[in-house]
Amino acid sequence: MDKIKILSGTTSWELKEKICENLAVEPTKAEVSRFADGEIRIQIKENIRGCDVFIVQSTHPPSDNLMELLLLIDAALRASAKRITAVIPYFGYGRQDRKDAPRVPISAKLVANLIQCAGAHRVLTCDLHSDQIQGFFDIPVDNLYAFPVFRDYFGTLPRDKFTVVSPDVGGTNRARAFAKRLGNLPLALIDKRRPSPNMAEVMNIIGEVEKRNLLIVDDLIDTGKTVAYGAKALKDKGAKSIWVCATHGLFSGNSKDLLEESPIDKVIITNTIPIPSHKKFKKLEILDISSLLAEAIKRIHEEVSISELFV
Ligand code: R5P
């Protein structure tokens, strides 16, 4: 792995260490600290001139995570890196991806502009909230699916009477692909309404769920209401067991209690976002996505296909 340099901001430090372990490369030394007033101060501590640089940083709140990423990209550019890939395991601000109400921003487009203007040459990310965000960039974007990580986990479970459930209409394609790859499992769909942001209301359930083991598939869990209220409606319809898998665990507010007290049997996420101990709960299982990211980084560096990872 000649001339590869992998560094990160603070939030993705642990994930970067694991990625480097997978690739058997030393993490590149970079200092991310604060000025007295709280402003971020960055310094890359080794020569990266002419190198293929990968900067790992998820951009979940607080916005300092995004700012660290932008400053690291700028530092790498000014240090004459040959190519800079922003590795963004969780792409924050992805949910406002279109103008669906008067006088709202398209936040995902603005964030894409910022990353590109800072000097990134490519983006590697994972389970974008919507595929069209790739088009907000004018640089190559590789959007990985966490599916292989979940498949390894579910591969050990009995498939008998399992149905994959999309928690809303927008997630149907994701759930359908998941069901197909898990061996053509049946699909069900929750018709969800959002009366206001961060609220979720179940209107209808489409598909057979009675006496079945259900696997709700989503890209992220924030307040937990989508999957907790969805699970309650599924249980009321006679579901046998309910599993949830989502790539990104944000777990805002009292989501921990909501999920713990819900009829959900198990919540399975990946470590695209670090989960502090106060947000963890008994039903939660965190899968390690570092080997998938490491393999994608290796393939970008060696300029070989990434899509082959998902056949
Ligand atoms: C919605 O489109 C997303 O895929 C998630 O279902 C949603 O953002 C989860 O949010 P919460 O956990 O707050 O219901």
Side-chain angles (χ1 to χ4, degrees), residues 115-126:
I115 292 166
Q116 205 171 315
C117 283
H121 300 110
R122 336 179 33 98
V123 169
L124 171 62
T125 186
C126 197

Side-chain angles (χ1 to χ4, degrees), residues 30-70:
E31 192 177 294
V32 182
S33 56
R34 295 285 184 276
F35 288 102
D37 64 353
E39 269 181 13
I40 300 159
R41 184 181 172 279
I42 301 280
Q43 188 175 20
I44 298 172
K45 296 288 216 179
E46 54 188 272
N47 179 26
I48 58 165
R49 194 174 284 272
C51 292
D52 195 10
V53 174
F54 293 83
I55 300 171
V56 187
Q57 178 81 338
S58 281
T59 55
H60 55 95
S63 307
D64 270 10
N65 290 328
L66 172 61
M67 197 63 199
E68 281 185 13
L69 172 66
L70 298 174

Side-chain angles (χ1 to χ4, degrees), residues 250-278:
L250 289 148
F251 299 128
S252 310
N254 70 344
S255 56
K256 170 182 166 174
D257 299 332
L258 187 66
L259 293 165
E260 195 67 343
E261 286 157 19
S262 75
I264 297 170
D265 294 275
K266 195 122 196 142
V267 177
I268 304 136
I269 58 158
T270 78
N271 55 350
T272 55
I273 297 170
I275 311 293
S277 49
H278 71 272

Side-chain angles (χ1 to χ4, degrees), residues 90 95 98 129 167-171 174 192 194 197-200 217-229 250-252 255 258-259:
Y90 170 65
R95 279 174 284 183
R98 62 193 178 282
H129 182 62
D168 49 35
V169 177
R174 182 181 298 115
K192 177 185 87 174
R194 276 210 191 276
N198 292 327
M199 274 308 301
V217 176
D218 211 347
D219 59 330
L220 63 90
I221 299 174
D222 184 359
T223 63
K225 289 176 187 167
T226 296
V227 290
Y229 297 169
L250 289 148
F251 299 128
S252 310
S255 56
L258 187 66
L259 293 165

